[in-house]
Amino acid sequence: MKAESGGYNVPFLDLSRQTAELGGELERAVAAVLRDGRFVLGEPVERFEREFAAHCGGAHAVGVASGTDALAIALQAVGVGPGDEVVTAANTCVPTVAAIESAGAVPVLVDVVQETFTLDPAALEAAVGARTRAIVPVHLYGQCAEMAPIVGFARERGLKVVEDAAQGHGSEYAGRRAGTLGDAAAFSFYPTKNLGAGGDGGAVVTNDADVAARARRLRSFGEGAGRVAVERGRNSRLDALQATLLSVKLARLDVWNTRRRALARRYLDALSGSGLELPAEAAGRRHVYHLFVVRTPSRDALRATLGERGIETMIHYPRPVHLHPAYVSLARELPVSERLSDEILSLPLYPQLSDGEADAVCEAVVEAAVPA
Ligand SMILES: *Cc1c(COP(=O)(O)O)cnc(C)c1O
């Protein structure tokens, strides 16, 4: 929105608007859990697990403490363990790789397709060896990775596929939703995600009853019937307060994703002549625009100009995993991921962003992005 100085005031994300939109529903749901007095797992978690599995079109959902844990537990539940290698995309956030290591495995990074930012199926051959056990495609920014060739390759080699769907709630590939495209999937309910809790939370989704049962054990010390630990697990349970908030918000997820897509359309139309590379929805995929990421070689200058004018932007992510000091040992030839991290810029996009704010962002971007 235009402020009197001629600048704008558009924050990257304002989650208080989501709470306001829900008009007391969240408070009432929390009060019910407080009155009930049972706080970890229990009926609210079971209810949310049923609802979320149904939303994905999957058979089972297992609520856990975070998206990172969901990925680690999903990997373990499909059989990944110490000594195994797990292939994933280099341009993801650190949690993807931390989860692979938390499952006891060694991450192997591969490059991505420039246009979609997602794992390049053609890069798999060179990354896979005798110890490879699984592939983790990341549905980055809200668009599914190119799953058909990835799953086809995995089936040929006897590898498991675990989706990192932390940014993909409701996204689709060939008419099927994220969460049902591999052997198991990991979702995050970190507050900023398309479906976010009031704190940390996550879920493993799978169509495989054995994988679901194992994920249930792994989230609670490996304990099965009679609280007998049949394998070593961890403490990673979803709590009832988060589950009840998530049930309230899940009922809005489709409307919110539709709104995200409408805002993306608005951006795509208004910025088509701006000289920026705009995000593309690949054929057969339904992008849910967790993030709206543009590209330009003059990214830093554009970001600075927008910042001066009161438009907040972010970078997801400032560097690929192998360029973090903690992960230099994972370095390989990853030129696309390295170039992208210098050019990407995330513009504000969330369901409660107004059309006026989106137009202000476009106006400022067009003014700032005068071609060099
Ligand atoms: C958010 C995120 C995670 C981690 O989820 P947490 O709930 O924060 O642990 C993992 N992978 C991707 C791609 C994410 O965006």
Side-chain angles (χ1 to χ4, degrees):
M1 309 260 72
K2 207 139 198 167
E4 282 177 18
S5 59
Y8 304 96
N9 177 23
V10 183
F12 186 74
L13 175 63
D14 177 1
L15 284 175
S16 73
R17 296 185 195 179
Q18 191 189 67
T19 308
E21 179 184 320
L22 291 166
E25 272 185 75
L26 296 174
E27 287 86 342
R28 283 193 292 280
V30 166
V33 173
L34 292 177
R35 275 197 306 274
D36 180 64
R38 283 169 288 187
F39 296 117
V40 175
L41 296 177
E43 197 279 326
V45 173
E46 286 163 24
R47 177 161 56 99
F48 173 70
E49 288 176 340
R50 284 194 302 275
E51 293 168 349
F52 190 65
H55 187 270
C56 295
H60 311 276
V62 179
V64 299
S66 72
T68 309
D69 279 3
L71 186 53
I73 289 171
L75 285 166
Q76 291 178 300
V78 302
V80 171
D84 292 336
E85 289 181 358
V86 174
V87 177
T88 194
N91 64 332
T92 188
C93 51
V94 165
T96 307
V97 164
I100 291 168
E101 293 191 321
S102 162
V106 177
V108 175
L109 302 178
V110 293
D111 222 341
V112 295
V113 177
Q114 172 167 295
E115 289 69 33
T116 60
F117 306 97
T118 58
L119 192 149
D120 184 355
L124 287 171
E125 184 69 55
V128 165
R131 312 179 79 142
T132 311
R133 192 69 191 264
I135 303 170
V136 174
V138 182
H139 302 327
L140 202 70
Y141 307 149
Q143 173 153 252
C144 288
E146 209 175 316
M147 294 303 286
I150 294 171
V151 172
F153 180 92
R155 293 291 172 258
E156 261 170 40
R157 305 302 176 94
L159 306 175
K160 300 293 185 184
V161 176
V162 176
E163 302 165 67
D164 182 340
Q167 303 188 359
H169 319 71
S171 64
E172 291 176 14
Y173 182 94
R176 280 160 58 207
R177 284 210 169 144
T180 64
L181 305 171
D183 296 289
F187 288 86
S188 166
F189 305 122
Y190 185 76
T192 62
K193 308 287 166 144
N194 286 30
L195 178 63
D200 281 306
V204 176
V205 172
T206 180
N207 279 326
D208 184 324
D210 293 334
V211 170
R214 193 164 178 203
R216 266 178 220 292
R217 283 201 305 271
L218 288 167
R219 75 174 167 187
S220 204
F221 311 112
E223 293 177 348
R227 295 201 64 178
V228 175
V230 294
E231 65 179 320
R232 290 177 181 180
R234 62 182 85 205
N235 175 359
S236 181
R237 300 170 299 218
L238 188 62
D239 65 68
L241 285 169
Q242 299 309 337
T244 199
L245 294 175
L246 287 165
S247 284
V248 171
K249 294 189 190 184
L250 180 59
R252 297 291 209 291
L253 179 59
D254 290 337
V255 170
W256 285 342
N257 279 343
T258 301
R259 172 66 183 156
R260 284 178 184 271
R261 289 174 56 79
L263 283 165
R265 190 23 63 215
R266 208 172 176 92
Y267 275 158
L268 291 169
D269 289 345
L271 299 178
S272 61
S274 66
L276 301 177
E277 290 290 337
L278 301 177
E281 183 174 62
R285 289 183 241 185
R286 183 173 193 268
H287 199 320
V288 291
Y289 294 98
H290 171 60
L291 294 166
F292 189 90
V293 177
V294 300
R295 288 197 291 125
T296 168
S298 44
R299 186 269 313 275
D300 292 339
L302 175 61
R303 183 167 199 228
T305 307
L306 292 175
E308 281 160 18
R309 303 201 58 190
I311 309 253
E312 193 183 1
T313 60
M314 292 185 72
I315 299 170
H316 300 90
Y317 295 91
R319 48 177 91 189
V321 176
H322 64 289
L323 297 183
H324 288 263
Y327 290 102
V328 287
S329 64
L330 302 184
R332 300 173 73 243
E333 276 282 301
L334 300 160
V336 180
S337 298
E338 290 179 12
R339 185 173 63 253
L340 287 175
S341 67
D342 290 331
E343 299 186 345
I344 49 177
L345 187 67
S346 307
L347 303 181
L349 192 159
Y350 60 103
Q352 292 79 23
L353 187 80
S354 71
D355 288 349
E357 286 172 314
D359 292 346
V361 172
C362 294
E363 201 174 287
V365 168
V366 168
E367 282 168 22
V370 181

